[in-house]
C-alpha cells in the first residue's frame, strides 16, 4: 500500500531554510496498524553568539518534521557506508504479532510495583502558567481510546538505569548506547503498562546507514523513524556524524521521542487516531505534539541525560523558532506543548486529544 512521503534530514546550511514535507497518511489494511513512519526531527544546534541559525521540521506518522539550526553548529551528515542495516543485539525482540493490546480505559484492575523511578533532583525549569486540560468527552470508541487512555493517570517514568549520554568515540559505541537507551525506556514504561492493564512489547531497534525498505515504505539513509506496522525504531547511523556540543540532547531526545511513538502505538492511540473525524493534518499535530510533550519530560527527569540550563535554553529555541508546520504545529503550539511537557508529571498532562483545535494549530 502507499505510504507517506519520507523527507531526508539535510544538514543545515548558512542562510538556508527548509520547511516540513507534506503529510499524506497512507491507506492500510484493516488488520494492520497504520502503515506510516513517525520520524524524529533533526534538532537544530544551539544558537551561538554572532551566528545566525535556522530551524526545520521532519515527517511524523508518515510525514516529516524538524527544527534545524545554524551555520556554525553542524558538520555535514556523513555519507554512510554501503553496509546493510544493523539490528542491535539486545534489541532484536521480534515485534508482537496481531493488534496492540486492548486500550481499555477507566481505573486499572491491578496495581503492580511502580515503574523504575529516579531519586535524581532534576534541573528546575522556570515555572509556566499551565491551565488544567478540559475533561474528556468522547462520542465514539476511537475518541475514547485517545482521550481516556489508562496511561493518562500514571507517572511519566524516568529511570536511573538509563546510561549517561556522551558522544561515542565510534559507531560501535553509538550502536551500544542506542541499544541501552531503548532498553532503559522499555524497562521504565513496561510497569506503567502493566499497572494500566495493558502490555508493552519491546520495539526492535534497527540502525542503518543506507536507504532502507520497511513495512512503512522506503527511507533514505539520513532518516530516523518509528514504523508501527512492525514495531521497529529505525535510527540512522548518520546521526553519529552530526555530533557537536548539542549532540547529547539531540540524540537522547530523538530516541525517547521514537519510543514515545511506540508507547502511543501500544496504547492504541495511533491506530484510533486514524478513525477520528478530524482532518489528517490536525490528527497528526495532536500525535506529534503529544509525543514531544511526553518525551521532553522524560528527557528532563532522566539522570543520564544530564538536562540543565543550557539544554533548557536550547529546547526553548527549538520550540519557538522555525517554520509554521501544518503537520507538526505552529510556533505557538510547539512552544506550548514542548514547554508544558517539562512540568507534567503524568501522561495525561500531555493529552492533546481533549483540547480544541485552536490549541493544536
Amino acid at each position: 500500500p502507499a505510504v507517506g512521503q519520507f523527507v531526508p534530514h539535510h544538514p543545515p546550511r548558512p542562510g538556508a531554510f527548509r520547511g516540513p514535507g507534506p503529510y499524506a497518511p497512507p491507506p492500510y489494511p484493516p488488520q494492520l496498524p497504520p502503515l506510516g513512519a513517525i520520524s524524529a526531527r533533526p534538532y537544530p544546534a544551539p544558537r551561538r553568539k554572532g551566528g545566525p541559525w535556522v530551524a526545520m521540521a521532519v515527517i511524523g506518522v508518515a510525514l516529516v518534521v524538524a527544527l534545524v539550526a545554524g551555520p556554525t553548529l553542524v558538520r555535514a551528515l556523513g555519507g554512510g557506508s554501503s553496509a546493510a542495516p544493523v539490528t542491535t543485539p539486545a534489541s532484536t525482540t521480534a515485534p508482537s504479532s496481531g493488534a496492540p493490546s486492548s486500550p481499555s480505559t477507566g481505573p486499572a484492575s491491578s496495581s503492580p510495583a511502580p515503574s523504575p523511578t529516579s531519586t535524581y533532583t532534576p534541573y528546575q525549569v522556570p515555572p509556566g502558567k499551565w491551565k488544567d486540560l478540559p475533561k474528556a468527552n468522547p462520542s465514539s470508541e476511537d475518541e475514547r481510546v485517545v482521550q481516556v487512555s489508562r496511561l493518562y493517570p500514571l507517572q511519566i517514568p524516568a529511570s536511573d538505569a538509563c546510561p549517561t549520554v556522551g558522544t561515542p568515540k565510534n559507531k560501535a559505541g553509538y550502536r551500544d548506547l542506542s541499544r541501552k537507551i531503548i532498553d532503559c525506556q522499555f524497562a521504565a514504561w513496561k510497569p506503567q503498562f502493566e499497572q494500566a492493564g495493558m502490555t508493552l512489547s519491546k520495539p526492535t531497534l534497527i540502525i542503518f546507514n543506507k536507504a532502507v525498505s520497511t513495512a512503512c515504505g522506503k527511507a533514505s539513509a539520513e532518516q530516523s523513524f518509528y514504523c508501527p506496522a512492525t514495531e521497529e525504531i529505525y535510527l540512522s547511523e548518520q546521526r553519529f556524524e552530526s555530533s557537536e556540543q548539542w549532540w547529547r540532547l539531540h540524540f537522547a531526545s530523538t530516541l525517547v521521542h521514537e519510543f514515545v511513538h511506540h508507547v502511543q502505538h501500544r496504547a492504541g492511540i495511533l491506530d484510533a487516531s486514524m478513525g477520528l473525524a478530524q482532518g489528517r493534518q490536525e490528527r497528526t499535530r495532536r500525535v506529534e505534539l503529544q509525543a514531544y510533550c511526553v518525551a521532553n519530560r522524560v528527557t528532563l527527569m532522566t539522570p543520564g541525560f544530564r538536562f540543565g540550563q543550557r539544554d533548557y535554553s536550547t529546547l526553548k529555541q527549538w520550540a519557538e523558532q522555525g517554520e509554521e508546520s501544518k503537520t507538526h504545529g505552529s510556533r505557538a503550539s510547539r512552544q506550548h506543548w514542548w514547554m508544558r511537557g517539562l512540568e507534567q508529571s503524568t501522561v495525561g498532562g500531555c493529552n492533546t486529544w481533549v483540547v480544541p483545535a485552536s490549541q493544536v494549530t
Side-chain angles (χ1 to χ4, degrees), residues 278-328:
Q278 300 162 1
R280 294 177 178 179
Q281 293 176 346
E282 181 184 333
R283 293 197 304 263
T284 302
R285 288 195 298 270
R286 291 181 188 273
V287 167
E288 286 297 328
L289 291 169
Q290 182 178 48
Y292 289 139
C293 181
V294 174
N296 285 351
R297 177 68 176 185
V298 173
T299 303
L300 167 69
M301 298 298 294
T302 302
F305 297 164
R306 300 177 294 164
F307 189 98
Q309 170 63 51
R310 182 173 181 175
D311 299 308
Y312 174 80
S313 298
T314 299
L315 195 67
K316 196 168 185 290
Q317 289 177 27
W318 292 347
E320 292 175 350
Q321 303 188 32
E323 197 171 69
E324 301 286 315
S325 171
K326 294 181 180 179
T327 55
H328 286 72

